[in-house]
């Protein structure tokens, strides 16, 4: 168990965790931001949410049908990229389930969450809970859960393999994260309940998702054994790897930019930390992956369904002013720039920014 205190916050009312001293640092309050958003943005429409789930399912099924029917090598690159992209869209639907913004029905959120996550080898409850920790601690160097910065000393102490995974092979890092967690945190598996990622009361949830994940792995093993590795490679492995690249790319860019501040100790609180993210434009993919790049509003209000995020963002921009971050830099340019410039943060201080290894 880590000695660092993980912040457990009621995300429906984050003000319960703010400090009165820190509150004066922003020229607006959580309630100011919330009041600017139309009330209907906070209400999920279960039929609309289900429509996105069934539409994504139909597209994925259609892509598989086309691949089987055409069965030509010239088509497979198209199939791989399109299917991997739709796997990512599927994940985003499950992401709403994990936040309770898919519907107000817990059983339905869990059902759709598993249906969207298990086929792409994500243990739904394990991910849901660790992702909750990320949202409760966003922008906190010591307690954030994903894509937080390492300190300069931690960077210098990392071995070559750690640096390779964190800074060079980061677009394929997600499967390893599920088994091992991120650097500078106690090792913990998303598949095992007995670690500091989870509460004891969540044990059964972890066992359920892990069991379903193992069943999916067994099914894939059966397909490979029955139809051969090439079959599995063509119809699952490559689309899965493209999904992993999408997941790592988008989540990395949510929180990695040279002008995003990171905080420590009492200087951090929920609203200020939630603003340590950035909106990005993915062009034609915005609608395909359900506007997950519209991320600032999502971090402040996890209960807003993805289809209301653009409206909510337009409403809060005048309130946030200079504290709202958005980038229209082409995605791959933004990625390579951040990969080069955003390496570590200073060992001490708060309100600090990424530095490059050459600084």
């Amino acid at each position: 168990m880590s000695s660092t205190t993980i912040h457990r916050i009621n995300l429906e009312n984050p003000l319960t965790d703010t400090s009165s001293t820190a509150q004066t640092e922003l020229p607006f309050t959580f309630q100011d931001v919330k009041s600017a958003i139309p009330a209907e943005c906070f209400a999920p429409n279960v039929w609309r949410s289900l429509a996105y789930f069934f539409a994504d399912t139909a597209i994925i099924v259609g892509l598989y049908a086309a691949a089987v029917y055409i069965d030509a090598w010239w088509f497979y690159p198209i199939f791989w990229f399109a299917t991997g992209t739709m796997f990512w869209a599927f994940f985003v639907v499950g992401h709403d389930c994990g936040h309770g913004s898919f519907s107000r029905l817990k059983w339905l959120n869990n059902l759709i969450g598993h249906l969207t996550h298990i086929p792409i080898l994500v243990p739904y409850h394990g991910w849901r809970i660790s992702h909750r920790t990320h949202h409760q601690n966003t922008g906190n160097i010591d307690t954030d859960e994903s894509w937080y910065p390492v300190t300069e000393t931690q960077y210098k102490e990392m071995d070559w393999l750690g640096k390779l995974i964190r800074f060079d092979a980061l677009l394929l890092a997600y499967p390893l994260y599920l088994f091992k967690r991120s650097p500078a945190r106690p090792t913990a598996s998303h598949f095992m309940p007995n670690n500091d990622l989870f509460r004891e009361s969540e044990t059964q949830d972890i066992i359920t998702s892990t069991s379903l994940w193992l069943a999916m792995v067994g099914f894939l093993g059966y397909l490979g054994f029955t139809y051969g590795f090439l079959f599995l490679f063509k119809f699952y492995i490559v689309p899965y790897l493209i999904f992993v690249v999408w997941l790592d790319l988008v989540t990395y860019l949510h929180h990695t930019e040279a002008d995003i501040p990171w905080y420590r100790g009492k200087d951090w609180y929920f609203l200020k930390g939630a603003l340590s993210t950035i909106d990005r434009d993915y062009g034609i993919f915005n609608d395909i992956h359900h506007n997950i790049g519209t991320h600032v509003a999502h971090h402040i209000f996890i209960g807003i369904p993805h289809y209301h995020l653009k409206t909510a963002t337009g409403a809060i921009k005048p309130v946030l002013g200079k504290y709202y971050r958005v980038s229209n830099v082409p995605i791959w340019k933004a990625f390579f720039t951040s990969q080069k410039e955003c390496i570590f943060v200073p060992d001490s201080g708060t309100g600090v920014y990424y530095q490059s290894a050459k600084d």
Side-chain angles (χ1 to χ4, degrees):
M1 295 286 286
S2 171
S3 60
T4 301
T5 300
I6 299 296
H7 295 272
R8 304 288 192 184
I9 298 169
N10 178 359
L11 291 176
E12 294 300 322
N13 184 21
L15 287 174
T16 58
D17 193 66
T18 60
S19 85
S20 57
T21 301
Q23 270 291 76
T24 62
E25 295 184 7
L26 292 175
F28 47 80
T29 66
F30 178 83
Q31 192 58 46
D32 291 334
V33 183
K34 185 175 183 180
S35 297
I37 301 175
E40 56 268 23
C41 287
F42 295 95
N45 182 317
V46 65
W47 299 112
R48 186 172 182 181
S49 296
L50 284 169
Y52 282 104
F53 166 71
F54 285 118
D56 287 354
T57 301
I59 293 170
I60 292 171
V61 170
L63 286 167
Y64 272 97
V68 171
Y69 178 77
I70 296 173
D71 193 24
W73 278 107
W74 65 265
F75 181 72
Y76 281 112
I78 300 171
F79 165 75
W80 292 334
F81 181 77
T83 305
T85 301
M86 290 309 302
F87 281 178
W88 168 235
F90 225 35
F91 178 93
V92 175
V93 170
H95 171 263
D96 269 13
C97 294
H99 284 305
S101 58
F102 185 90
S103 78
R104 294 292 183 242
L105 302 170
K106 184 177 180 180
W107 70 266
L108 183 61
N109 292 334
N110 288 343
L111 173 62
I112 301 299
H114 280 102
L115 289 175
T116 52
H117 278 56
I118 295 302
I120 50 177
L121 294 180
V122 177
Y124 171 69
H125 282 307
W127 163 83
R128 174 183 64 80
I129 295 166
S130 71
H131 190 63
R132 176 190 65 197
T133 301
H134 162 59
H135 272 267
Q136 292 173 330
N137 295 271
T138 303
N140 190 318
I141 296 171
D142 300 316
T143 59
D144 202 346
E145 177 59 30
S146 59
W147 295 122
Y148 50 83
V150 296
T151 66
E152 182 174 5
T153 295
Q154 288 169 342
Y155 172 75
K156 291 178 178 178
E157 292 176 348
M158 293 174 70
D159 59 21
W160 70 270
L161 181 59
K163 289 181 179 179
L164 174 68
I165 295 171
R166 178 62 175 83
F167 302 105
D168 298 310
L170 69 164
L171 293 186
L172 295 173
Y174 188 70
L176 181 62
Y177 165 72
L178 290 176
F179 284 96
K180 193 177 182 297
R181 210 177 181 185
S182 297
R185 296 287 186 268
T187 298
S189 169
H190 284 70
F191 303 95
M192 302 296 291
N194 298 321
N195 59 63
D196 66 353
L197 275 177
F198 312 122
R199 302 165 181 162
E200 186 175 350
S201 60
E202 294 163 336
T203 297
Q204 189 55 52
D205 283 345
I206 302 305
I207 292 174
T208 297
S209 290
T210 298
S211 298
L212 292 171
W213 184 90
L214 288 171
M216 182 64 194
V217 171
F219 175 67
L220 293 172
Y222 165 79
L223 290 178
F225 181 79
T226 304
Y227 299 103
F229 176 77
L230 182 60
F231 176 92
L232 195 63
F233 178 86
K234 290 193 302 184
F235 289 105
Y236 189 83
I237 293 176
V238 180
Y240 170 77
L241 291 176
I242 291 173
F243 151 69
V244 169
V245 169
W246 267 117
L247 189 155
D248 281 324
L249 172 69
V250 174
T251 54
Y252 173 80
L253 290 177
H254 282 164
H255 304 283
T256 312
E257 184 80 0
D259 70 343
I260 290 179
W262 291 84
Y263 305 99
R264 288 183 169 99
K266 293 182 178 179
D267 186 48
W268 176 93
Y269 63 95
F270 175 81
L271 182 56
K272 188 160 66 171
L275 292 172
S276 289
T277 186
I278 185 169
D279 283 1
R280 297 193 186 273
D281 183 5
Y282 290 84
I284 62 171
F285 296 103
N286 286 331
D287 290 331
I288 295 173
H289 66 204
H290 308 310
N291 292 299
I292 193 63
T294 310
H295 211 62
V296 175
H298 168 67
H299 256 276
I300 305 173
F301 305 104
I302 63 168
I304 297 179
H306 73 264
Y307 42 81
H308 290 320
L309 285 175
K310 291 172 69 175
T311 299
T313 298
I316 66 175
K317 283 167 64 176
V319 179
L320 299 182
K322 67 179 182 180
Y323 295 92
Y324 169 73
R325 290 180 177 82
V326 61
S327 173
N328 294 312
V329 174
I331 292 303
W332 286 109
K333 182 178 180 180
F335 169 74
F336 287 119
T337 299
S338 291
Q339 186 189 28
K340 179 180 179 181
E341 297 181 354
C342 301
I343 305 301
F344 55 74
V345 295
D347 290 331
S348 60
T350 185
V352 297
Y353 296 86
Y354 269 112
Q355 299 177 9
S356 71
K358 296 180 180 179
D359 288 346

